[in-house]
Amino acid sequence: TVTVSGVATDGPLAHALVFYDTNNNDILDAGEISDITDDFGNYTLTGVSSADLSAGTLVAKSITIADGMVDDLGNVIRTVDTISGAVV
């Protein structure tokens, strides 16, 4: 496997979803390697196979996160106070 790193830019794309779309359906599926960009658009995808590199597509999507949304893997998103751990 290899590590794919880069910068997602559109001024940059901070807090965007980046993933290697191995089946080219434009959706983050279970098992696909993903990362969220930092404030400067940087991301790292570790463990991308050679087969995925030749067959898949690198996707970067701007995302809006809101309480109660469900991500592509079925997880319900909640805002959590990082000091108390309470859902806010």
Side-chain angles (χ1 to χ4, degrees):
T1 64
V2 298
T3 298
V4 178
S5 297
V7 179
T9 60
D10 186 14
L13 276 178
H15 313 289
L17 172 65
V18 177
F19 63 98
Y20 218 87
D21 189 9
T22 58
N23 60 359
N24 294 306
N25 66 352
D26 204 33
I27 296 170
L28 175 60
D29 296 308
E32 293 180 331
I33 298 170
S34 66
D35 195 13
I36 300 294
T37 61
D38 64 15
D39 291 341
F40 305 101
N42 299 299
Y43 64 88
T44 301
L45 303 176
T46 303
V48 178
S49 72
S50 298
D52 291 345
L53 282 175
S54 62
T57 302
L58 184 64
V59 176
K61 291 184 173 189
S62 178
I63 55 175
T64 301
I65 298 175
D67 280 351
M69 286 181 61
V70 177
D71 67 17
D72 289 333
L73 300 177
N75 302 307
V76 177
I77 298 168
R78 297 281 183 238
T79 302
V80 176
D81 182 314
T82 57
I83 295 173
S84 69
V87 175
V88 292

Coordinates of all heavy atoms in Angstrom, one line a residue:
T1 N 0.8 -1.2 0.0 CA 0.0 0.0 0.0 C 0.9 1.2 0.0 O 2.1 1.2 0.3 CB -0.9 0.0 1.2 OG1 -0.2 0.1 2.4 CG2 -1.9 -1.2 1.2
V2 N 0.3 2.3 -0.3 CA 1.0 3.6 -0.4 C 0.2 4.6 0.4 O -0.9 4.4 0.8 CB 1.2 4.1 -1.8 CG1 2.0 3.2 -2.6 CG2 -0.2 4.4 -2.5
T3 N 0.8 5.8 0.7 CA 0.2 6.9 1.3 C 0.0 8.0 0.3 O 1.0 8.3 -0.4 CB 1.0 7.4 2.5 OG1 1.1 6.4 3.5 CG2 0.4 8.6 3.1
V4 N -1.2 8.6 0.2 CA -1.5 9.6 -0.7 C -1.7 10.9 0.1 O -2.5 10.9 1.0 CB -2.7 9.3 -1.6 CG1 -3.0 10.5 -2.5 CG2 -2.6 8.0 -2.4
S5 N -0.9 11.9 -0.2 CA -1.0 13.2 0.5 C -1.2 14.3 -0.5 O -0.7 14.2 -1.6 CB 0.2 13.5 1.4 OG 0.3 12.5 2.4
G6 N -1.8 15.4 -0.1 CA -1.9 16.6 -1.0 C -2.6 17.7 -0.3 O -2.8 17.7 1.0
V7 N -3.0 18.7 -1.1 CA -3.8 19.8 -0.5 C -5.0 20.0 -1.4 O -4.9 20.1 -2.7 CB -2.9 21.1 -0.6 CG1 -3.7 22.3 -0.1 CG2 -1.6 20.9 0.3
A8 N -6.2 20.0 -0.8 CA -7.4 20.3 -1.6 C -7.6 21.8 -1.6 O -7.6 22.4 -0.5 CB -8.6 19.6 -0.9
T9 N -7.6 22.4 -2.8 CA -7.7 23.8 -2.8 C -8.9 24.3 -3.6 O -9.2 23.8 -4.6 CB -6.4 24.4 -3.5 OG1 -6.3 23.9 -4.8 CG2 -5.2 24.1 -2.7
D10 N -9.5 25.3 -3.1 CA -10.5 26.2 -3.7 C -10.5 27.4 -2.9 O -11.5 27.9 -2.5 CB -11.8 25.5 -3.8 CG -12.8 26.4 -4.6 OD1 -12.4 27.3 -5.3 OD2 -14.0 26.1 -4.5
G11 N -9.2 27.6 -2.4 CA -9.0 28.8 -1.6 C -8.5 28.6 -0.2 O -8.4 29.6 0.4
P12 N -8.1 27.6 0.5 CA -8.1 26.1 0.3 C -9.5 25.5 0.8 O -10.3 26.2 1.3 CB -7.0 25.7 1.2 CG -7.0 26.6 2.3 CD -7.4 28.0 1.7
L13 N -9.6 24.2 0.6 CA -10.8 23.5 1.1 C -10.6 23.0 2.5 O -10.2 21.9 2.7 CB -11.2 22.3 0.2 CG -11.9 22.6 -1.1 CD1 -12.1 21.4 -1.9 CD2 -13.3 23.2 -0.8
A14 N -10.9 23.9 3.4 CA -10.7 23.5 4.8 C -11.9 22.6 5.3 O -13.0 22.9 4.9 CB -10.6 24.8 5.7
H15 N -11.6 21.6 6.0 CA -12.6 20.7 6.6 C -13.5 20.0 5.5 O -14.7 19.8 5.7 CB -13.5 21.5 7.6 CG -12.6 22.3 8.6 ND1 -11.9 21.7 9.5 CD2 -12.4 23.6 8.7 CE1 -11.2 22.6 10.2 NE2 -11.5 23.8 9.7
A16 N -12.9 19.7 4.4 CA -13.5 19.0 3.3 C -13.3 17.5 3.5 O -12.3 17.0 4.1 CB -13.0 19.4 2.0
L17 N -14.2 16.7 3.0 CA -14.0 15.2 3.0 C -13.2 14.9 1.8 O -13.5 15.3 0.6 CB -15.4 14.6 2.9 CG -15.4 13.1 2.7 CD1 -14.8 12.3 3.9 CD2 -16.9 12.6 2.5
V18 N -12.2 14.1 2.0 CA -11.3 13.6 0.9 C -11.3 12.1 1.0 O -11.1 11.5 2.1 CB -9.9 14.1 1.0 CG1 -9.0 13.5 -0.1 CG2 -9.9 15.7 0.9
F19 N -11.6 11.4 -0.1 CA -11.5 9.9 0.0 C -11.1 9.3 -1.4 O -11.3 10.0 -2.4 CB -12.9 9.3 0.5 CG -14.1 9.6 -0.4 CD1 -14.5 8.6 -1.3 CD2 -14.8 10.7 -0.3 CE1 -15.6 8.8 -2.1 CE2 -15.9 11.0 -1.1 CZ -16.3 10.0 -2.0
Y20 N -10.6 8.1 -1.3 CA -10.3 7.4 -2.5 C -11.5 6.5 -2.9 O -11.8 5.5 -2.2 CB -9.0 6.6 -2.4 CG -8.2 6.6 -3.7 CD1 -7.3 7.7 -3.9 CD2 -8.5 5.7 -4.7 CE1 -6.7 7.8 -5.1 CE2 -7.8 5.8 -5.9 CZ -6.9 6.8 -6.1 OH -6.3 6.9 -7.3
D21 N -12.2 6.9 -3.9 CA -13.5 6.3 -4.3 C -13.2 5.0 -5.2 O -13.0 5.1 -6.4 CB -14.3 7.3 -5.1 CG -15.7 6.8 -5.3 OD1 -16.1 5.7 -4.8 OD2 -16.5 7.5 -6.1
T22 N -13.0 3.9 -4.5 CA -12.6 2.7 -5.2 C -13.6 2.1 -6.2 O -13.2 1.4 -7.2 CB -12.2 1.6 -4.2 OG1 -13.3 1.3 -3.4 CG2 -11.0 2.0 -3.4
N23 N -14.9 2.4 -6.0 CA -15.9 1.9 -7.0 C -16.5 3.0 -7.8 O -17.5 2.8 -8.5 CB -17.0 1.1 -6.2 CG -17.7 1.9 -5.2 OD1 -17.4 3.1 -5.0 ND2 -18.7 1.3 -4.6
N24 N -15.9 4.2 -7.7 CA -16.3 5.3 -8.5 C -17.8 5.7 -8.5 O -18.4 6.0 -9.5 CB -15.8 5.1 -10.0 CG -14.3 5.1 -10.1 OD1 -13.6 6.0 -9.7 ND2 -13.8 4.0 -10.6
N25 N -18.4 5.6 -7.3 CA -19.8 5.9 -7.2 C -20.0 7.3 -6.5 O -21.1 7.7 -6.3 CB -20.6 4.9 -6.4 CG -20.2 4.8 -5.0 OD1 -19.2 5.4 -4.5 ND2 -20.9 3.9 -4.2
D26 N -18.9 8.0 -6.3 CA -18.9 9.4 -5.7 C -19.5 9.4 -4.3 O -20.0 10.5 -3.8 CB -19.7 10.3 -6.6 CG -19.2 11.8 -6.4 OD1 -18.1 12.0 -6.1 OD2 -20.1 12.7 -6.5
I27 N -19.5 8.3 -3.6 CA -20.0 8.2 -2.2 C -18.9 7.5 -1.4 O -18.3 6.5 -1.8 CB -21.3 7.4 -2.1 CG1 -22.4 8.1 -2.9 CG2 -21.7 7.1 -0.7 CD1 -23.7 7.2 -3.1
L28 N -18.7 8.0 -0.2 CA -17.8 7.3 0.8 C -18.4 6.1 1.3 O -19.4 6.1 2.0 CB -17.4 8.3 1.9 CG -16.5 7.6 3.0 CD1 -15.2 7.2 2.4 CD2 -16.3 8.6 4.1
D29 N -17.9 4.9 0.8 CA -18.5 3.6 1.3 C -17.6 3.0 2.4 O -16.4 3.4 2.5 CB -18.5 2.7 0.1 CG -19.4 3.1 -1.0 OD1 -20.6 3.4 -0.7 OD2 -19.0 3.2 -2.2
A30 N -18.2 2.1 3.1 CA -17.4 1.4 4.2 C -16.2 0.8 3.5 O -16.2 0.2 2.4 CB -18.2 0.4 4.8
G31 N -15.0 1.0 4.2 CA -13.8 0.4 3.7 C -13.0 1.3 2.8 O -11.8 1.0 2.5
E32 N -13.6 2.4 2.3 CA -12.8 3.4 1.5 C -12.0 4.3 2.4 O -12.6 4.7 3.4 CB -13.7 4.1 0.5 CG -14.3 3.3 -0.5 CD -15.2 4.0 -1.5 OE1 -15.9 5.0 -1.1 OE2 -15.3 3.5 -2.6
I33 N -10.8 4.6 2.1 CA -9.9 5.3 2.9 C -10.2 6.8 2.8 O -10.4 7.3 1.7 CB -8.5 5.0 2.6 CG1 -8.2 3.6 2.8 CG2 -7.5 5.9 3.3 CD1 -6.9 3.1 2.3
S34 N -10.4 7.5 3.9 CA -10.8 8.9 3.9 C -10.1 9.7 4.9 O -9.4 9.2 5.8 CB -12.3 9.0 4.1 OG -12.6 8.6 5.4
D35 N -10.2 11.0 4.8 CA -9.7 12.0 5.7 C -10.5 13.3 5.6 O -11.1 13.5 4.6 CB -8.2 12.3 5.4 CG -7.4 13.0 6.6 OD1 -8.0 13.0 7.7 OD2 -6.3 13.4 6.3
I36 N -10.4 14.1 6.6 CA -11.0 15.5 6.6 C -9.8 16.4 6.5 O -8.8 16.3 7.3 CB -11.8 15.7 7.9 CG1 -13.0 14.7 8.0 CG2 -12.4 17.2 7.8 CD1 -14.0 14.8 6.9
T37 N -9.9 17.4 5.6 CA -8.8 18.3 5.5 C -8.7 19.2 6.7 O -9.6 19.5 7.4 CB -8.9 19.2 4.2 OG1 -10.1 20.0 4.3 CG2 -8.9 18.4 3.0
D38 N -7.4 19.7 7.0 CA -7.2 20.7 8.0 C -7.6 22.1 7.6 O -8.1 22.3 6.5 CB -5.8 20.6 8.6 CG -4.7 21.0 7.6 OD1 -5.0 21.6 6.5 OD2 -3.5 20.7 7.8
D39 N -7.3 23.1 8.4 CA -7.6 24.5 8.1 C -6.9 24.9 6.8 O -7.4 25.9 6.2 CB -7.1 25.4 9.2 CG -8.0 25.2 10.4 OD1 -9.1 24.7 10.4 OD2 -7.5 25.6 11.5
F40 N -5.9 24.2 6.3 CA -5.2 24.7 5.1 C -5.4 23.7 3.9 O -4.8 23.9 2.9 CB -3.7 24.7 5.4 CG -3.4 25.6 6.6 CD1 -3.1 25.1 7.8 CD2 -3.4 27.0 6.5 CE1 -2.9 25.9 8.9 CE2 -3.2 27.8 7.6 CZ -2.9 27.3 8.8
G41 N -6.3 22.8 4.1 CA -6.7 21.9 3.0 C -5.8 20.6 2.9 O -5.9 19.8 2.0
N42 N -4.9 20.4 3.8 CA -4.0 19.3 3.8 C -4.7 18.0 4.2 O -5.6 18.0 5.1 CB -2.8 19.5 4.8 CG -2.0 20.7 4.4 OD1 -1.4 20.7 3.3 ND2 -1.9 21.6 5.3
Y43 N -4.4 16.9 3.6 CA -5.0 15.6 4.0 C -4.0 14.5 3.7 O -3.0 14.7 3.0 CB -6.2 15.3 3.1 CG -5.9 15.2 1.6 CD1 -5.6 13.9 1.1 CD2 -6.0 16.3 0.8 CE1 -5.3 13.8 -0.2 CE2 -5.7 16.2 -0.5 CZ -5.3 14.9 -1.1 OH -5.0 14.8 -2.4
T44 N -4.2 13.4 4.4 CA -3.3 12.2 4.2 C -4.2 10.9 4.1 O -5.0 10.7 5.1 CB -2.3 12.0 5.3 OG1 -1.5 13.2 5.3 CG2 -1.4 10.8 5.1
L45 N -4.1 10.2 3.1 CA -4.8 8.9 3.0 C -3.8 7.8 3.1 O -3.0 7.6 2.2 CB -5.6 8.8 1.7 CG -6.6 10.0 1.4 CD1 -7.2 9.8 0.0 CD2 -7.7 10.0 2.4
T46 N -3.8 7.1 4.2 CA -2.8 6.0 4.4 C -3.4 4.7 4.1 O -4.5 4.4 4.5 CB -2.3 6.1 5.9 OG1 -1.8 7.4 6.1 CG2 -1.3 5.1 6.2
G47 N -2.6 3.8 3.4 CA -3.0 2.5 3.1 C -3.7 2.3 1.8 O -4.4 1.3 1.6
V48 N -3.6 3.2 0.9 CA -4.2 3.1 -0.4 C -3.5 2.0 -1.2 O -2.2 2.1 -1.3 CB -4.2 4.4 -1.2 CG1 -4.8 4.2 -2.6 CG2 -4.9 5.5 -0.4
S49 N -4.2 1.0 -1.7 CA -3.5 -0.1 -2.5 C -3.2 0.4 -3.9 O -3.8 1.3 -4.4 CB -4.4 -1.3 -2.5 OG -5.5 -1.1 -3.4
S50 N -2.2 -0.3 -4.5 CA -1.8 -0.1 -5.9 C -3.0 -0.3 -6.8 O -3.2 0.5 -7.8 CB -0.7 -1.0 -6.3 OG 0.4 -0.7 -5.5
A51 N -3.9 -1.3 -6.5 CA -5.1 -1.5 -7.4 C -6.0 -0.3 -7.3 O -6.6 0.1 -8.3 CB -5.7 -2.8 -6.9
D52 N -6.2 0.2 -6.0 CA -7.1 1.4 -5.9 C -6.6 2.6 -6.6 O -7.3 3.3 -7.2 CB -7.3 1.7 -4.4 CG -8.0 0.7 -3.6 OD1 -8.7 -0.2 -4.3 OD2 -8.0 0.7 -2.4
L53 N -5.2 2.8 -6.6 CA -4.6 3.9 -7.3 C -4.9 3.8 -8.8 O -5.2 4.9 -9.4 CB -3.1 3.9 -7.1 CG -2.7 4.5 -5.8 CD1 -1.1 4.3 -5.7 CD2 -3.1 5.9 -5.6
S54 N -4.9 2.6 -9.4 CA -5.1 2.5 -10.8 C -6.6 2.5 -11.2 O -7.0 2.9 -12.3 CB -4.4 1.3 -11.4 OG -5.0 0.1 -10.8
A55 N -7.5 2.1 -10.3 CA -8.9 1.9 -10.7 C -9.8 3.0 -10.1 O -10.9 3.3 -10.6 CB -9.4 0.6 -10.2
G56 N -9.4 3.6 -8.9 CA -10.3 4.5 -8.2 C -10.1 6.0 -8.6 O -9.3 6.3 -9.5
T57 N -10.9 6.8 -7.9 CA -10.8 8.3 -8.2 C -10.7 9.0 -6.8 O -11.3 8.7 -5.9 CB -12.2 8.7 -8.8 OG1 -12.4 8.0 -10.0 CG2 -12.2 10.2 -9.1
L58 N -9.8 9.9 -6.8 CA -9.6 10.8 -5.6 C -10.7 11.8 -5.6 O -10.9 12.6 -6.6 CB -8.2 11.4 -5.6 CG -7.9 12.2 -4.4 CD1 -7.8 11.4 -3.2 CD2 -6.6 13.0 -4.6
V59 N -11.5 11.9 -4.5 CA -12.6 12.8 -4.4 C -12.4 13.7 -3.3 O -12.0 13.3 -2.2 CB -13.9 12.0 -4.2 CG1 -15.1 12.9 -4.0 CG2 -14.2 11.0 -5.4
A60 N -12.6 15.0 -3.5 CA -12.6 16.0 -2.4 C -14.0 16.7 -2.5 O -14.4 17.3 -3.5 CB -11.5 17.0 -2.6
K61 N -14.7 16.7 -1.3 CA -16.0 17.3 -1.3 C -16.1 18.3 -0.1 O -15.7 18.0 1.0 CB -17.1 16.3 -1.1 CG -17.3 15.4 -2.2 CD -18.5 14.4 -1.9 CE -18.9 13.6 -3.1 NZ -20.1 12.9 -2.9
S62 N -16.6 19.5 -0.4 CA -16.9 20.4 0.7 C -18.1 19.9 1.4 O -19.1 19.5 0.8 CB -17.2 21.8 0.1 OG -17.5 22.7 1.1
I63 N -18.1 19.9 2.7 CA -19.2 19.3 3.5 C -19.7 20.4 4.5 O -18.9 21.2 5.0 CB -18.8 18.0 4.2 CG1 -17.6 18.2 5.1 CG2 -18.6 16.9 3.2 CD1 -17.2 17.0 5.9
T64 N -21.0 20.3 4.8 CA -21.6 21.1 5.9 C -22.0 20.1 6.9 O -22.8 19.2 6.6 CB -22.7 21.9 5.3 OG1 -22.3 22.8 4.3 CG2 -23.3 22.7 6.5
I65 N -21.6 20.3 8.1 CA -22.0 19.4 9.2 C -23.0 20.1 10.1 O -22.7 21.2 10.6 CB -20.7 19.0 10.0 CG1 -19.8 18.2 9.1 CG2 -21.1 18.1 11.2 CD1 -18.5 17.8 9.7
A66 N -24.0 19.4 10.4 CA -25.1 19.9 11.3 C -25.5 18.8 12.2 O -25.5 17.6 11.9 CB -26.2 20.5 10.5
D67 N -25.9 19.2 13.5 CA -26.4 18.2 14.4 C -27.5 17.4 13.8 O -28.4 17.9 13.1 CB -26.9 18.9 15.7 CG -25.8 19.2 16.6 OD1 -24.7 18.8 16.4 OD2 -26.1 19.9 17.6
G68 N -27.5 16.1 14.0 CA -28.6 15.2 13.6 C -28.4 14.7 12.2 O -29.1 13.8 11.7
M69 N -27.4 15.2 11.4 CA -27.1 14.7 10.1 C -26.6 13.3 10.2 O -26.0 13.0 11.2 CB -26.1 15.6 9.3 CG -26.6 16.9 8.8 SD -25.4 17.9 8.0 CE -25.0 16.8 6.6
V70 N -26.7 12.5 9.2 CA -26.2 11.2 9.1 C -25.1 11.2 8.0 O -25.4 11.6 6.9 CB -27.3 10.2 8.8 CG1 -26.7 8.8 8.7 CG2 -28.4 10.2 9.9
D71 N -23.9 10.7 8.4 CA -22.8 10.7 7.4 C -23.0 9.5 6.5 O -23.9 8.7 6.6 CB -21.4 10.7 8.1 CG -21.1 9.5 8.9 OD1 -21.8 8.4 8.7 OD2 -20.2 9.5 9.7
D72 N -22.1 9.4 5.5 CA -22.2 8.4 4.5 C -22.1 6.9 5.0 O -22.5 6.0 4.4 CB -21.2 8.5 3.4 CG -21.5 9.7 2.5 OD1 -22.6 10.1 2.4 OD2 -20.5 10.3 1.9
L73 N -21.6 6.8 6.2 CA -21.5 5.5 6.9 C -22.6 5.2 7.8 O -22.6 4.2 8.5 CB -20.1 5.4 7.6 CG -18.9 5.6 6.6 CD1 -17.6 5.5 7.4 CD2 -18.9 4.5 5.5
G74 N -23.6 6.1 7.9 CA -24.7 5.9 8.8 C -24.6 6.4 10.2 O -25.4 6.1 11.1
N75 N -23.5 7.1 10.5 CA -23.3 7.6 11.8 C -24.0 9.0 12.0 O -24.0 9.8 11.2 CB -21.8 7.9 12.1 CG -21.0 6.6 11.9 OD1 -21.3 5.6 12.5 ND2 -20.0 6.7 11.1
V76 N -24.8 9.1 13.1 CA -25.5 10.4 13.4 C -24.5 11.4 14.0 O -23.7 11.0 14.9 CB -26.6 10.1 14.4 CG1 -27.3 11.5 14.7 CG2 -27.6 9.2 13.8
I77 N -24.4 12.6 13.5 CA -23.5 13.6 13.9 C -24.1 14.4 15.0 O -25.2 14.8 14.9 CB -23.1 14.5 12.7 CG1 -22.5 13.7 11.6 CG2 -22.3 15.7 13.1 CD1 -22.3 14.4 10.3
R78 N -23.3 14.6 16.1 CA -23.7 15.4 17.2 C -22.6 16.3 17.6 O -21.4 16.0 17.4 CB -24.0 14.5 18.4 CG -25.2 13.5 18.2 CD -26.5 14.2 18.4 NE -27.6 13.3 18.3 CZ -28.5 13.4 17.4 NH1 -28.6 14.4 16.6 NH2 -29.5 12.5 17.4
T79 N -22.9 17.5 18.1 CA -21.9 18.4 18.6 C -21.7 18.0 20.1 O -22.6 17.9 20.9 CB -22.4 19.9 18.6 OG1 -22.8 20.2 17.2 CG2 -21.4 20.8 19.1
V80 N -20.4 17.9 20.4 CA -20.0 17.5 21.7 C -19.0 18.5 22.3 O -18.1 18.9 21.7 CB -19.3 16.1 21.7 CG1 -18.8 15.7 23.1 CG2 -20.2 15.0 21.2
D81 N -19.3 18.9 23.6 CA -18.4 19.8 24.3 C -17.2 19.0 24.6 O -17.2 18.0 25.3 CB -19.1 20.3 25.6 CG -18.2 21.3 26.4 OD1 -17.0 21.0 26.5 OD2 -18.8 22.3 26.8
T82 N -16.0 19.5 24.1 CA -14.8 18.7 24.3 C -14.2 18.7 25.7 O -13.4 17.9 26.0 CB -13.7 19.2 23.3 OG1 -13.5 20.6 23.5 CG2 -14.1 18.9 21.8
I83 N -14.7 19.7 26.5 CA -14.2 19.7 27.9 C -15.1 18.8 28.8 O -14.6 17.9 29.5 CB -14.2 21.1 28.4 CG1 -13.2 22.0 27.6 CG2 -13.9 21.2 29.9 CD1 -13.3 23.4 27.9
S84 N -16.4 18.9 28.7 CA -17.3 18.1 29.6 C -17.6 16.8 28.9 O -18.0 15.8 29.6 CB -18.6 18.9 29.9 OG -19.4 19.0 28.7
G85 N -17.6 16.7 27.6 CA -18.0 15.5 26.9 C -19.5 15.4 26.7 O -20.0 14.4 26.1
A86 N -20.2 16.4 27.1 CA -21.7 16.5 27.0 C -22.1 16.8 25.5 O -21.5 17.6 24.9 CB -22.3 17.5 27.9
V87 N -23.2 16.2 25.1 CA -23.8 16.5 23.8 C -24.5 17.9 24.0 O -25.2 18.1 24.9 CB -24.8 15.5 23.3 CG1 -25.4 15.9 22.0 CG2 -24.0 14.1 23.1
V88 N -24.2 18.8 23.1 CA -24.8 20.2 23.2 C -25.7 20.4 22.1 O -25.7 19.8 21.0 CB -23.7 21.3 23.3 CG1 -23.0 21.2 24.6 CG2 -22.8 21.2 22.1

